[in-house]
Amino acid sequence: IGYATAAMLLKEGLKVVICSRRQSELDNAISELKEIGGDRITGKTCDVRQYSQVASLFQYVENTFGGLDILVNNAGVGLFASVADMTVEQWHTVIETNLNSLFYCCHEAIPKMRMRGGGYIFNIGSLAGRNAFPNASAYNASKFGLIGFSEALMQEIRYDNIRVSYILPGSVKTS
């Protein structure tokens, strides 16, 4: 979803910054996307579960392209097990990736968008945010949380000319 979104934005003529936890994945994606966007695509390694890395990423965006108009929160992980069998570490991985990172990125983006007079935030959720299923308690909780967060955020920043949408795709074949 992230790669396809970046490609679409580049085809529309926008400047795009992507991130990944892994430098090799980031380098491969940038190399491929340069065929579409040339010097309008760049990226930085970032573990969006770490607030300090998120803050550094947004400073990179500001330094590289002079501002931020669109944020696409697309980080996500699904670890599926019953509550009794899920480890505390697995729970934290899902919640930190799927929900905490959402807050960190919005927290950094909103002041930058306000300074530019507005913007757009897209939060990529899942149908699992509306339809719970067994062995997905952490995943469902994170995606239900994404919806609640997004709806509250819409009301908080609508008068700042910052729009918020959430998108609920179904299953996606991805690594």
Side-chain angles (χ1 to χ4, degrees):
I1 293 173
Y3 183 92
T5 301
M8 186 253 339
L9 292 171
L10 289 167
K11 288 176 185 173
E12 293 296 320
L14 280 73
K15 297 174 184 172
V16 176
V17 176
I18 61 173
C19 72
S20 174
R21 289 178 291 147
R22 294 177 196 86
Q23 186 69 50
S24 61
E25 290 179 4
L26 181 67
D27 292 342
N28 289 340
I30 290 172
S31 176
E32 292 174 12
L33 290 167
K34 277 191 179 290
E35 294 180 22
I36 300 168
D39 63 355
R40 291 182 291 109
I41 178 71
T42 187
K44 180 174 175 36
T45 56
C46 179
D47 182 345
V48 292
R49 298 173 298 179
Q50 303 298 320
Y51 180 71
S52 62
Q53 291 187 37
V54 170
S56 177
L57 172 67
F58 280 82
Q59 189 59 56
Y60 176 80
V61 170
E62 190 99 356
N63 294 343
T64 303
F65 289 133
L68 176 71
D69 299 306
I70 299 171
L71 170 63
V72 179
N73 283 308
N74 183 55
V77 64
L79 301 174
F80 303 103
S82 69
V83 171
D85 294 333
M86 179 173 278
T87 67
V88 170
E89 292 77 20
Q90 288 174 316
W91 172 269
H92 283 288
T93 295
V94 173
I95 298 301
E96 290 169 3
T97 304
N98 297 0
L99 197 53
N100 290 358
S101 68
L102 184 73
F103 167 76
Y104 298 156
C105 291
C106 289
H107 182 74
E108 285 295 310
I110 291 167
K112 293 174 182 357
M113 289 179 173
R114 282 178 174 150
M115 288 188 332
R116 291 176 67 83
Y120 213 123
I121 298 172
F122 295 92
N123 296 326
I124 309 300
S126 168
L127 289 177
R130 292 268 191 233
N131 306 299
F133 58 96
N135 297 318
S137 58
Y139 189 72
N140 288 132
S142 71
K143 297 305 180 176
F144 273 76
L146 178 144
I147 292 170
F149 178 90
S150 299
E151 290 183 359
L153 186 60
M154 285 177 202
Q155 295 175 43
E156 286 180 22
I157 60 178
R158 65 182 171 186
Y159 297 112
D160 295 318
N161 197 33
I162 302 172
R163 303 294 173 244
V164 179
S165 292
Y166 56 90
I167 300 166
L168 306 178
S171 298
V172 177
K173 185 177 180 180
T174 180
S175 60

